[in-house]
């Protein structure tokens, strides 16, 4: 029964997010209130706030996945694989799968996000949380005496690759490039970005 309840909660959460995103795309994020989202979704305002602590998370309903994407890839790296190699492999798999983690989205969605100071601020918070998640993962593996500076610098570099490529994907959408064109260009840019880190992180945190 608990599994069924959880699926129902996830479905309700997704439905509320979809309704909210539709309203935001139509009228603008800053012009729509939580009460209006609740009314359009046919639920109480408290139901919306129970599922989404912040209005911005109605847009970034997958923010936990955005935050954990890199850390999970690193934590689950294969034997003999470095943190950089694991993230590189995960990025290209996500790019191939058109995953939200790489920043591919519709023109309307990207325009909405980039046109709202509140959503841009939330995106920066997600960037910071992603970096912290990577650092936590690397530090936990180092045991009781991690190299704090080394971990922090490595996490910052690994997170930067994801952030830079994500922002470039948003820009490509705003420039009117097709999904196929964006993926093709991102493939080359990602190769360049990961190669650039290879000298410093290619042998770092090998499992």
């Amino acid at each position: 029964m608990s599994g069924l309840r959880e699926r129902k909660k996830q479905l309700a959460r997704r439905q509320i997010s979809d309704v909210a995103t539709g309203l935001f795309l139509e009228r603008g994020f800053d012009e729509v209130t939580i009460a209006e989202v609740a009314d359009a979704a046919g639920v109480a305002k408290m139901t919306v706030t129970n599922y989404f602590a912040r209005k911005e998370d109605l847009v970034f309903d997958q923010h936990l996945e955005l935050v954990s994407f890199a850390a999970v890839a690193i934590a689950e790296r294969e034997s003999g694989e470095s943190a950089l190699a694991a993230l590189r492999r995960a990025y290209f798999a996500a790019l191939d799968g058109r995953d939200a983690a790489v920043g591919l989205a519709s023109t309307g969605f990207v325009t909405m996000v980039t046109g709202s100071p509140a959503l841009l601020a939330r995106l920066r918070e997600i960037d910071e949380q992603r970096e912290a998640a990577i650092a936590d993962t690397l530090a936990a593996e180092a045991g009781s005496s991690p190299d704090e500076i080394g971990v922090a610098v490595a996490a910052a570099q690994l997170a930067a690759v994801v952030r830079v490529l994500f922002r470039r994907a948003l820009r490509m959408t705003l420039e009117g490039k097709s999904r196929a064109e964006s993926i093709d260009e991102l493939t080359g840019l990602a190769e360049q970005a990961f190669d650039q880190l290879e000298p410093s992180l290619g042998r770092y945190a090998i499992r």
Side-chain angles (χ1 to χ4, degrees):
M1 288 296 292
S2 60
L4 178 59
R5 280 198 300 270
E6 184 60 30
R7 287 195 296 273
K8 286 182 176 180
K9 287 171 63 176
Q10 290 300 321
L11 179 59
R13 190 177 190 278
R14 173 56 61 87
Q15 289 174 335
I16 293 170
S17 175
D18 288 346
V19 168
T21 300
L23 290 175
F24 297 151
L25 288 172
E26 180 183 346
R27 294 166 47 194
F29 176 79
D30 299 315
E31 305 304 317
V32 179
T33 66
I34 294 292
E36 289 173 322
V37 170
D39 184 61
V43 299
K45 181 179 177 181
M46 185 176 292
T47 300
V48 177
T49 55
N50 282 341
Y51 280 115
F52 301 92
R54 301 169 58 172
K55 181 182 171 185
E56 292 84 358
D57 289 337
L58 284 160
V59 174
F60 297 117
D61 60 307
Q62 298 183 51
H63 70 279
L64 293 178
E65 289 83 353
L66 295 176
V67 167
S68 65
F69 165 71
V72 169
I74 292 167
E76 296 179 351
R77 66 192 183 279
E78 300 172 355
S79 176
E81 191 172 43
S82 68
L84 177 64
L87 180 56
R88 183 176 195 147
R89 178 168 55 82
Y91 178 86
F92 283 110
L95 186 61
D96 187 57
R98 277 67 169 169
D99 195 288
V102 300
L104 295 172
S106 69
T107 302
F109 186 88
V110 174
T111 300
M112 174 184 66
V113 169
T114 56
S116 168
L119 291 177
L120 286 175
R122 182 66 180 111
L123 200 54
R124 287 191 291 272
E125 287 181 353
I126 289 172
D127 290 335
E128 293 172 358
Q129 291 168 347
R130 181 190 297 115
E131 182 177 329
I134 295 172
D136 288 345
T137 297
L138 294 172
E141 292 187 1
S144 59
S145 56
D147 173 8
E148 293 184 6
I149 294 299
V151 165
V153 171
Q157 293 181 84
L158 292 166
V161 172
V162 179
R163 183 186 70 248
V164 168
L165 293 172
F166 190 98
R167 293 301 198 282
R168 183 59 66 93
L170 298 184
R171 189 194 309 174
M172 290 175 187
T173 298
L174 292 177
E175 290 171 349
K177 294 182 179 178
S178 68
R179 185 65 58 87
E181 289 173 328
S182 294
I183 290 173
D184 184 61
E185 188 170 339
L186 283 169
T187 297
L189 293 174
E191 291 284 8
Q192 177 185 343
F194 284 109
D195 284 349
Q196 190 169 332
L197 289 186
E198 194 66 36
S200 59
L201 294 179
R203 304 294 300 172
Y204 180 79
I206 294 177
R207 172 158 290 170

